[in-house]
Amino acid sequence: MNKTSLYKGCLEPIILKLLDDNGRMYGYEITQKVKEATAGELNITEGALYPLLHRLEAEGVLEVEMENIGNRVRKYYSLTKAGKKEKSKAVLELENFKNTLQLLLNPKLA
Amino acid sequence: MNKTSLYKGCLEPIILKLLDDNGRMYGYEITQKVKEATAGELNITEGALYPLLHRLEAEGVLEVEMENIGNRVRKYYSLTKAGKKEKSKAVLELENFKNTLQLLLNPKLA
DNA sequence: ACCAATACATTGGAATCTTAGGCATTAGAA
DNA sequence: TTCTAATGCCTAAGATTCCAATGTATTGGT
């Protein structure tokens, strides 16, 4: 990520949401997609991403398909059934979090 | 905080905003105010709050006034001049962060 | 021929919070 | 009246999560 890093803790839900929207993606693609989707605001570092993907795979949240592109190997990740549940929960929490931030930023309606 | 802690990294801007809105507050008051303002969603732990207040004071962002309430001592914190600048910056970043989350949660308008 | 981009990965360390304590005063319930 | 919960301050050890740096290899453009 970047700056003083407010995004800490949000990476996982963001990735799950992305994979749900796009079906399947590979690591590098994720970093580019996030950069693009946030107009350059959020840059996921590979040192954060790859370990996370590996963990989510180990937990059964993601599954992998290897694919050969020329002489290069891509690892496509997608949500498992358990992963879809996880994703739903995570997105709700993230939405809730965003709304709570809104409350704190705009406490006028008290 | 709580849960898997999405709020990680947001504590500082939240505190600065609160202090700007309320003029001056003491630690315990902050924890209660945040709990109330977020309908119980966000519970700041004292182990996170007090070290942060001390750091911000050391950095010249906050200043302290001791006050005796009966036999008890309260430490009222308020923003310094530098703190007000810091707060403005932090709030902008937090708002920006919130908007970016919105983008990620709702990428329809692409 | 060389550099940037693509694509994977690991490692050490910094930053931030949680858990779990500790101390003292005060208000309220049993 | 005694004991618990709430008020109010605090610290220390540890977990989590991410960043920066680094490594390897292929590919496309100049």
Side-chain angles (χ1 to χ4, degrees), chain A residues 80-99:
Chain A
T80 62
K81 206 161 209 170
K84 298 231 177 209
K85 280 190 198 165
E86 258 302 299
K87 167 243 142 197
S88 300
K89 224 182 71 183
V91 167
L92 281 179
E93 276 173 19
L94 192 58
E95 245 153 16
N96 194 43
F97 167 57
K98 191 208 64 183
N99 293 333

Side-chain angles (χ1 to χ4, degrees), chain A:
Chain A
M1 304 187 185
N2 48 2
K3 300 187 175 172
T4 353
S5 213
L6 295 167
Y7 295 87
K8 194 160 283 197
C10 301
L11 225 187
E12 183 176 331
I14 288 173
I15 301 300
L16 296 182
K17 173 84 165 73
L18 256 185
L19 285 173
D20 190 52
D21 289 344
N22 294 75
R24 58 176 223 160
M25 303 178 82
Y26 55 99
Y28 186 76
E29 188 186 8
I30 292 176
T31 66
Q32 300 311 108
K33 194 79 175 181
V34 168
K35 199 185 296 180
E36 173 201 324
T38 64
E41 246 293 305
L42 178 52
N43 292 309
I44 299 178
T45 56
E46 300 182 329
L49 179 62
Y50 287 115
L52 175 56
L53 290 175
H54 300 161
R55 200 198 79 210
L56 292 174
E57 185 194 351
E59 290 174 359
V61 172
L62 299 183
E63 59 190 354
V64 190
E65 284 170 304
M66 311 283 276
E67 215 154 293
N68 291 317
I69 308 293
N71 278 19
R72 212 182 272 167
V73 180
R74 271 188 197 158
K75 297 177 76 174
Y76 278 95
Y77 290 90
S78 55
L79 295 173
T80 62
K81 206 161 209 170
K84 298 231 177 209
K85 280 190 198 165
E86 258 302 299
K87 167 243 142 197
S88 300
K89 224 182 71 183
V91 167
L92 281 179
E93 276 173 19
L94 192 58
E95 245 153 16
N96 194 43
F97 167 57
K98 191 208 64 183
N99 293 333
T100 301
L101 281 186
Q102 180 58 59
L103 272 181
L104 288 166
L105 284 167
N106 206 350
K108 295 163 192 165
L109 343 156

